[in-house]
Amino acid sequence: SLALATPTAIAAALGTSTKQGVLIKSGEAVEKLSRINAVAFDKTGTLTEGRISVESVKAFGIEEDRLKALLYAAEKYSEHPIAKAITAYCEGVEQLKAESTKSLVGTGVEAVIDGKVIRVEKWNSSLGGEADEALKEGKTVIGVTEDEKLVGLLTLSDTVRDESKFAVKELNDMGVMTVMLTGDNETVAKTVGESLGINKIYGALMPDQKLEKIEELKKNRRKVVMVGDGVNDAPALALADASIAMGAFGADLAVETADVALMNNDIKKVPSLLKLARRTLKKIKLNIAIAMCINFAAVLLSLFGILNPVWGALIHNVSSVLVVTNSALLLKHNM
Ligand code: ADP
Ligand code: MG
């Protein structure tokens, strides 16, 4: 029964979570998750659906169709949910050939088209004040520049997942600190974060600043799990004590390397996952206690000749059954 104490509980935990769409990669991950007391969320694609839609497009000094064609060519190769939204919106426009495209990590993309440098990137003050209103409403705003001259302004809306609010509340109730790390604008970060009840909100972060925030949490003796989609947050996922990737459309690398993949992007399973991990560790300890006590008692009884070999064999098996049954109770854990 002592040998069965740990593996049976881990197997039950992995089995029950997998059946419910939460893929825990290892027994070690369960142990790490049981000690977590802070959860850091990425925003775009994690707390929000990442099924972003373009709300408005304004062109300055060029035809709107030309703007759309530039956008399509520049964003075609980007993996970011924002890029997917923009290309979907611009579908069917004239095909321009980009001489080169590169991603500006954490801010947008840059492409050379017809010899001009086109940048599609998050709105910043150097682009002017046209977007102030939209930013205040918590919208994501993107600017398009051609050789540093502003030619377009896009506003995008992203729906916050229904489950996010529930997940954040559950975590806060469990005494787990909730943190949001996003590359999006501070105003947007605040609007979304506050509506969800997140404890600490950090906006306008570059990918390496997301790392710094994780480090800071770890220094403050927090055990942090990072939840993200792997787009611009892969280093943070790697640095955190444990990592959870959005499985359904997260970046492949993140899904492969994270400790846990949420197969249906169901973020409300994060609190129940932490509960399952804590329960599993408690089970293991209880199992070990059961095994030790019964073994110890049986050894003593047989020393004094009270326990004969047949009873000894029987008790040996009873304790194994007890441990296995105790572990099997985890199969009933609802996530
Ligand atoms: P989050 O941390 O919320 O997931 P990211 O760090 O991935 O956000 O991106 C930060 C911001 O950079 C986005 O809100 C967006 O304004 C801008 N951005 C990133 N990638 C692109 C892209 N391919 N096209 C346009 N803008 C982008
Ligand atoms: Mg993201």
Side-chain angles (χ1 to χ4, degrees), residues 42-46 80-81 181-183 210 228-233:
D42 167 60
K43 181 179 78 72
T44 317
T46 304
H80 203 279
L181 305 177
T182 176
K210 291 186 184 175
D229 60 359
V231 182
N232 289 334
D233 56 18

Side-chain angles (χ1 to χ4, degrees), residues 39-110:
V39 180
F41 292 99
D42 167 60
K43 181 179 78 72
T44 317
T46 304
L47 288 171
T48 65
E49 289 188 349
R51 229 177 290 132
I52 306 166
S53 57
V54 176
E55 275 197 346
S56 71
V57 173
K58 246 195 249 168
F60 303 104
I62 60 171
E63 291 287 313
E64 196 175 314
D65 280 343
R66 167 87 185 157
L67 175 64
K68 283 189 184 170
L70 290 174
L71 280 168
Y72 190 87
E75 295 280 16
K76 203 159 65 174
Y77 300 108
S78 170
E79 260 202 87
H80 203 279
I82 288 180
K84 303 249 160 75
I86 293 178
T87 46
Y89 182 82
C90 300
E91 196 75 43
V93 290
E94 177 200 356
Q95 296 281 331
L96 295 178
K97 190 143 177 50
E99 284 141 49
S100 69
T101 55
K102 68 172 187 207
S103 89
L104 307 168
V105 177
T107 64
V109 291
E110 184 184 291

